[in-house]
Amino acid sequence: MITLRKSEDRGHANHGWLNSYHTFSFANYYDTAHMGFRDLRVINEDRVKEGNGFGAHSHRDMEIISYVLEGALEHKDSMGNSSIIRPGEVQIMSAGTGVTHSEYNHSESDTVHFLQIWILPNGKGLQPRYDQKMYSDEEKHGKLRLIVSQDGRDGSVSINQDVNLYATKLEAGQKIDSAIVPNRHAWVQVIQGQITLNDVVLHTGDGAAVSDESNLVMEAKEAAEILLFDLA
């Protein structure tokens, strides 16, 4: 079964400096029908204007992933990490027992566009941790590139949960297959472009929850960038 989550049905908050779309309930957007999917709790598509950002604030007991699409995101945290995240890079922060951090647009002239993804951890009170890695377009072109996993295999960043996150970029007409292990589920998020997911059409910003399917076929109707979450 594939359940479509249309882009235009997401929650929306425009604060001037921040324009954000929420796939699941977040902040002032509350929707009992969309509280998350399996261990996936948040997918926010954020655009932050130049010279602005999220000031120092705290999290705990959450796995937080930033996936930058355009521009540059400047990160600082209470663990002593300071970095710039650019397109192709994946940042993960395990908040665990508690982390204070800030995320700012690094540019004084351009908007930063990124996905903020939260995943529930497999335990509470874990040791906070930070990691960041680059995955080139070539690695993702026409194939599923593992970028996040529980065991950090194949050069992926590790996460405290039984989740595999893949990224791919497809040209128009390209097709990719992914088998789903019995009793596992998937979430597909279209970052850009148009695809068919089996027989369901998805456009930019659309997502889809997948359960009780043995195989997924993603075919690009136009150039597309996609994230695939494999979930317990």
Side-chain angles (χ1 to χ4, degrees):
M1 180 174 66
I2 298 176
T3 304
L4 181 62
R5 175 67 161 145
K6 295 290 290 180
S7 173
E8 58 265 30
D9 294 334
R10 295 178 293 176
H12 181 220
N14 192 339
H15 302 286
W17 65 272
L18 168 67
N19 191 14
S20 183
Y21 288 88
H22 312 316
T23 295
F24 305 116
S25 289
F26 187 85
N28 292 329
Y29 169 62
Y30 182 73
D31 182 349
T32 55
H34 298 96
M35 298 299 295
F37 180 69
R38 312 301 294 182
D39 291 313
L40 179 58
R41 178 62 187 84
V42 167
I43 303 178
N44 289 349
E45 182 181 0
D46 292 340
R47 289 177 173 85
V48 177
K49 287 187 175 180
E50 57 275 14
N52 289 276
F54 303 91
H57 60 285
S58 298
H59 294 285
R60 62 182 301 130
D61 296 325
M62 192 65 70
E63 305 290 295
I64 300 173
I65 300 167
S66 297
Y67 189 92
V68 176
L69 308 175
E70 297 175 286
L73 189 67
E74 182 175 346
H75 169 91
K76 292 182 180 179
D77 64 45
S78 56
M79 294 180 283
N81 298 297
S82 180
S83 62
I84 309 298
I85 306 103
R86 303 182 189 278
E89 291 185 293
V90 175
Q91 172 209 70
I92 186 163
M93 187 178 71
S94 298
T97 53
V99 172
T100 299
H101 74 121
S102 64
E103 308 290 337
Y104 274 89
N105 186 341
H106 182 64
S107 173
E108 293 295 329
S109 58
D110 300 313
T111 296
V112 61
H113 179 199
F114 67 103
L115 295 183
Q116 179 185 169
I117 299 162
W118 293 11
I119 293 174
L120 297 169
N122 55 18
K124 293 185 180 295
L126 301 174
Q127 182 68 30
R129 183 177 54 84
Y130 180 87
D131 200 1
Q132 179 180 334
K133 289 186 180 179
M134 166 65 80
Y135 301 96
S136 68
D137 286 353
E138 184 180 8
E139 293 177 82
K140 294 176 279 191
H141 185 75
K143 55 193 172 188
L144 290 169
R145 176 50 163 115
L146 183 67
I147 58 174
V148 177
S149 69
Q150 188 171 29
D151 58 7
R153 67 188 183 280
D154 299 331
S156 59
V157 294
S158 60
I159 190 172
N160 293 310
Q161 188 51 269
D162 183 10
V163 171
N164 300 303
L165 173 56
Y166 299 87
T168 187
K169 287 192 169 186
L170 303 177
E171 299 297 330
Q174 280 190 311
K175 183 187 298 186
I176 197 165
D177 288 66
S178 179
I180 301 179
V181 174
N183 300 316
R184 290 190 70 85
H185 308 261
W187 181 275
V188 174
Q189 188 71 29
V190 178
I191 295 172
Q192 182 177 341
Q194 179 183 341
I195 69 167
T196 55
L197 179 65
N198 293 358
D199 59 350
V200 178
V201 177
L202 281 79
H203 301 267
T204 298
D206 290 350
V210 181
S211 296
D212 300 318
E213 298 278 345
S214 60
N215 191 59
L216 291 179
V217 179
M218 295 180 286
E219 182 175 358
K221 297 304 180 183
E222 58 186 52
E225 183 173 4
I226 308 156
L227 293 181
L228 169 63
F229 297 81
D230 166 42
L231 304 154

